[in-house]
Amino acid sequence: MLNSDIKKILIIAIPAALNNLLDMLQVLVDMIFVGRISPVAIAAVGLSMNFLWVIYAFITIFSVSTNALVARFFGAKDFQNLEKVISVNLVLALIFSIFVAIFVLVFAYDFFFLFGKDKQLTESATDYMHIQAIAFPFLFAGAVFASTSNGFGDTKTPLLIGIAGNILNTFLDYCLVLGNLGFPRLEILGASIATTIADIFEVLIYIFLIFYKNLFKISFSFSKDIAKRSLKLGIPTGIERFVSSISFMFFIWIIAQYGTYVLAGYQIGLRVEGLAFMIGFGFSIAAMTLVGQSIGEGNLDKAYRLGIKSAIISGLIMQFIGIFMFFYPEIFISIFTQDPKTVKEASLYLKVVAVSQFPLAIDFVLSGALRGAGATKIAMFVNTGSLWLFRIIPSLILTLFFKNLIYVYLIIIAETFIKAFIIWYIFKKGKWKKIEG
C-alpha cells in the first residue's frame, strides 16, 4: 500500500511541481535578462512580481474551487456536474479578470510609489504591469483550464503547455530585452511583452486541445448552485491569498527600509528559494487532488493518509534543496547578478531561510489538502493569522526599535515553524472530514 500511495502522489506531484517550477522559471528568466541592466531594473521587476501575487489571489478563487470540485466529482463519477464546474468557473473568472485589469491600469503607479518613492523604480514597475494587464483574461482562463486537468489527476498536460510557453518567453526575452536578432532594445518593457505573449500562447494551446482534441468537455451551461458552491470554496482561498499578498507587500516595505541593495538581494533570494517552494506547491496540488478524489469516493481514511504522505515527501525534497541553498548560495545568485553588495544580501537571506524548508513544505501541502477537503476557511484563518501575528508585527517592531535585518530574517524562520505545527495539528485532528464541499 505504501508504494501504491507514493506512486499516486508522485504521478500527480512531479509534473505539477515541474509546472510550478516553470512558472517560477518564467519569472527568473525575466529577472536574469533585466539583471544585466541595473539593480533598479531587478527591483522593478521584483516589485511587479509581488504585485502579480495580489492578482493571483483573485485567480486562486477559481483555480482552487475548480481543482477541488472537479476532483470531488471525478472521484464520485458525477461527470455532469463536473462539466458544469468548468463552464461556471470559466465565466466567473473572465468577468473578474476584466475588473482586475481595470484596477491595475488605474492604480499601479500609486501602488508602486509607496515603495521608497523612487520615480525611476515606480515608472519602470508601472510600465511592466500595464502591459501585463492585457493578458489577465488569459491568465484567469488558463488557471481554470489547468486546474481542471489537475482535478482529473492529469498534471502532464499543463506541464507540456508550460514548457512551450517558457520556450517562447525565453526566446522573446532574448530578442526584446537586450535587442538581439534585429529587435529593438526594450529592456523592462521587453520582458513584460515577452511574458504577456507567452501567457496568451499557452491559453490558445488549451483552447485547441479542448475543442479539437477533446482534452475535456465543457457544458456551456450556467448553474447558480454550482456557482455558489464554487465561490463558497474559492472565496476564502482568494481572501487568504489576497491578504497574504498585501501582507507580503507590507513585509517588503519593511525590507525596503534597509536600503535598495537589501531589497534587491531579498528579491533575488526569494526567486532562488522559489525553486524549493514551487516543489511544495506541486505536492500541494497533488494533496488537493487526491484528498478531493478520495472524499468523492467516500474514503476519508485514504484522504488523510495521502495528505500526510504528500507533506512528508515534499518536506524531505525541499529540505534537501535547502542544504544546497545554505552551503552554496552564491552559485544560484550569480545567475541573476554579479553586483557584490546584492550577492551578499541575497546570500544572507538564503542561508537563514534554508533551515526552514521542511516546515514550509508541511504548511504548503497540508493547506492544499485542507482545500481539497473543502476546509478553505480553516486554511485562510491559519495562514493569514500566523503571517500577521508571528511575522509582520514582530518584524515591524524589531525594525522600528533595532533596525537589525538578521532579527527580521529569524522571525521568518520562527513563523514558518509555528504555522507548520498549527496546520499539521488541525489536519491530524480531522474536523475537515465533516465538512461538505
Side-chain angles (χ1 to χ4, degrees):
M1 181 61 69
L2 177 63
N3 291 334
S4 175
D5 287 347
I6 293 176
K7 184 177 180 181
K8 288 180 181 178
I9 293 167
L10 294 180
I11 286 175
I12 297 176
I14 290 177
L18 290 174
N19 194 29
N20 277 290
L21 285 171
L22 285 176
D23 289 339
M24 177 59 68
L25 180 60
Q26 194 171 48
V27 177
L28 295 180
V29 168
D30 285 352
M31 293 193 72
I32 289 171
F33 278 101
V34 300
R36 302 299 185 261
I37 301 171
S38 69
V40 173
I42 295 175
V45 174
L47 283 176
S48 298
M49 292 302 104
N50 290 312
F51 194 11
L52 280 172
W53 289 350
V54 179
I55 306 305
Y56 284 123
F58 292 99
I59 293 177
T60 56
I61 294 175
F62 310 103
S63 63
V64 168
S65 61
T66 300
N67 193 322
L69 288 177
V70 167
R72 183 77 63 91
F73 288 134
F74 182 78
K77 301 187 185 305
D78 185 352
F79 298 108
Q80 184 177 2
N81 277 323
L82 190 156
E83 293 174 9
K84 290 180 181 179
V85 169
I86 305 169
S87 177
V88 167
N89 277 355
L90 184 60
V91 171
L92 294 175
L94 289 173
I95 293 172
F96 266 67
S97 70
I98 294 173
F99 287 102
V100 172
I102 293 172
F103 175 85
V104 169
L105 292 172
V106 174
F107 294 107
Y109 184 90
D110 296 325
F111 183 86
F112 290 123
F113 191 67
L114 296 174
F115 293 86
K117 295 179 171 56
D118 183 297
K119 185 176 181 180
Q120 183 182 359
L121 177 62
T122 300
E123 290 179 349
S124 297
T126 301
D127 290 341
Y128 187 96
M129 283 304 306
H130 280 174
I131 294 173
Q132 288 283 295
I134 298 172
F136 285 172
F138 294 90
L139 282 174
F140 277 74
V144 172
F145 294 149
S147 296
T148 298
S149 291
N150 292 338
F152 283 122
D154 173 21
T155 52
K156 291 181 180 178
T157 298
L159 171 62
L160 294 175
I161 292 175
I163 290 173
N166 269 263
I167 292 173
L168 179 60
N169 179 70
T170 302
F171 172 75
L172 292 175
D173 270 343
Y174 176 78
C175 295
L176 297 175
V177 175
L178 302 177
N180 292 311
L181 300 180
F183 286 84
R185 181 185 174 96
L186 300 178
E187 299 187 346
I188 293 176
L189 288 179
S192 186
I193 292 171
T195 301
T196 298
I197 293 174
D199 290 338
I200 294 173
F201 175 68
E202 290 185 17
V203 175
L204 293 177
I205 295 176
Y206 273 115
I207 292 173
F208 172 78
L209 292 177
I210 292 168
F211 290 103
Y212 295 97
K213 297 296 181 180
N214 296 317
L215 179 63
F216 47 76
K217 294 181 179 180
I218 302 177
S219 67
F220 292 106
S221 62
F222 191 86
S223 167
K224 290 184 179 180
D225 290 337
I226 293 294
K228 290 179 181 179
R229 192 169 178 179
S230 293
L231 293 175
K232 181 182 177 182
L233 283 174
I235 286 177
T237 301
I239 293 174
E240 174 195 337
R241 296 289 173 85
F242 179 77
V243 173
S244 296
S245 299
I246 296 297
S247 302
F248 275 115
M249 292 301 293
F250 184 78
F251 187 77
I252 290 171
W253 178 85
I254 295 175
I255 297 296
Q257 306 312 301
Y258 293 88
T260 300
Y261 285 102
V262 171
L263 178 59
Y266 176 74
Q267 298 287 358
I268 290 176
L270 279 178
R271 304 308 166 227
V272 174
E273 187 187 14
L275 297 174
F277 64 63
M278 283 298 126
I279 291 176
F281 286 158
F283 278 84
S284 176
I285 290 173
M288 190 189 313
T289 299
L290 291 172
V291 167
Q293 289 182 354
S294 299
I295 292 175
E297 295 169 4
N299 193 335
L300 296 177
D301 290 336
K302 180 181 178 183
Y304 174 81
R305 186 178 71 244
L306 291 173
I308 291 293
K309 288 182 179 179
S310 297
I312 293 174
I313 295 170
S314 176
L316 293 173
I317 296 173
M318 285 180 62
Q319 194 57 62
F320 180 75
I321 295 174
I323 293 173
F324 286 92
M325 284 166 41
F326 183 87
F327 288 105
Y328 309 105
E330 293 85 1
I331 294 177
F332 300 102
I333 296 165
S334 62
I335 297 174
F336 302 96
T337 182
Q338 302 295 326
D339 181 78
K341 290 183 180 179
T342 306
V343 170
K344 179 182 177 182
E345 297 298 338
S347 297
L348 174 63
Y349 174 80
L350 287 177
K351 287 184 177 181
V352 173
V353 300
V355 302
S356 61
Q357 295 304 302
F358 187 91
L360 187 62
I362 298 298
D363 172 40
F364 283 162
V365 179
L366 292 186
S367 291
L370 288 173
R371 294 183 188 108
T376 52
K377 290 183 180 179
I378 295 175
M380 174 186 70
F381 286 123
V382 171
N383 286 308
T384 56
S386 175
L387 184 61
W388 275 94
L389 289 176
F390 304 122
R391 179 179 297 200
I392 294 178
I393 293 176
S395 296
L396 179 61
I397 293 172
L398 290 172
T399 296
L400 292 176
F401 286 95
F402 297 100
K403 194 100 180 201
N404 190 325
L405 183 64
I406 192 64
Y407 291 164
V408 175
Y409 286 167
L410 290 176
I411 286 293
I412 294 176
I413 294 178
E415 190 268 338
T416 302
F417 274 91
I418 292 170
K419 184 165 56 178
F421 174 78
I422 294 172
I423 210 78
W424 169 81
Y425 179 80
I426 289 173
F427 189 76
K428 188 174 185 296
K429 195 84 172 176
K431 290 185 177 180
W432 52 270
K433 296 179 181 180
K434 301 177 182 178
I435 296 176
E436 293 184 6

